[in-house]
Amino acid sequence: MDKMRKLPDAEFDIMKVVWANEPPITTSEIMKQLGDEKEWKIQTIVSLMIRLVERGFLRSEKHGKERTYFPLVNKENYLKFETGNFVKQFHENSFLSLVSTMYDDEALTDEDIDELLKWVKERRG
């Protein structure tokens, strides 16, 4: 994939299911895991899968009547990309701005802060 792009929410929902399962995955397996929760029809899932193939997130193989899909982008790389974009767009590339916003909103607990301090100490070596 040349340049990764942000996924629309519906496509990201599909990728979360793909990443949570051992590849390959079929449309019917995704329907089983997402269909009820999202109230999506099979045609919707098929369309989203086709878009994900076009965007370079999935590879598709046909076996008889069944089509299987394999992830081409792993979850960690996508989350790094998304998080980097978020910090750049909303926090001017400042990790401190991000943490401070979460702290001011009381989204961070004392346990979170302890974990963050531990993480920083480990990184410093």
Side-chain angles (χ1 to χ4, degrees), residues 70-84:
F70 300 81
L72 292 175
V73 173
N74 73 30
K75 183 179 181 180
E76 291 71 27
N77 286 345
Y78 185 73
L79 292 181
K80 272 185 208 168
F81 161 78
E82 273 280 30
T83 305

Side-chain angles (χ1 to χ4, degrees), residues 49-65:
M49 302 292 277
I50 289 168
R51 265 193 251 154
L52 285 162
V53 169
E54 289 167 355
R55 289 178 195 264
F57 278 83
L58 294 176
R59 175 172 63 82
S60 158
E61 287 181 9
K62 197 160 170 61
H63 300 280
K65 289 184 177 182

Side-chain angles (χ1 to χ4, degrees), residues 5-99:
R5 278 185 287 181
K6 180 174 173 40
L7 289 173
D9 289 347
E11 291 173 35
F12 184 55
D13 287 338
I14 297 270
M15 286 306 297
K16 284 191 282 191
V17 174
V18 171
W19 289 322
N21 288 273
E22 192 64 36
I25 193 164
T26 62
T27 309
S28 55
E29 287 167 338
I30 288 179
M31 184 71 183
K32 257 187 261 169
Q33 292 180 45
L34 261 188
D36 294 341
E37 175 193 326
K38 295 288 179 185
E39 295 181 359
W40 285 346
K41 298 197 177 351
I42 191 77
Q43 295 87 342
T44 304
I45 292 176
V46 168
S47 297
L48 292 168
M49 302 292 277
I50 289 168
R51 265 193 251 154
L52 285 162
V53 169
E54 289 167 355
R55 289 178 195 264
F57 278 83
L58 294 176
R59 175 172 63 82
S60 158
E61 287 181 9
K62 197 160 170 61
H63 300 280
K65 289 184 177 182
E66 183 123 75
R67 193 168 276 286
T68 56
Y69 296 88
F70 300 81
L72 292 175
V73 173
N74 73 30
K75 183 179 181 180
E76 291 71 27
N77 286 345
Y78 185 73
L79 292 181
K80 272 185 208 168
F81 161 78
E82 273 280 30
T83 305
N85 260 8
F86 177 81
V87 172
K88 191 156 87 183
Q89 185 175 358
F90 295 103
H91 295 279
E92 298 167 357
N93 262 345
S94 167
F95 177 69
L96 197 54
S97 167
L98 171 68
V99 172

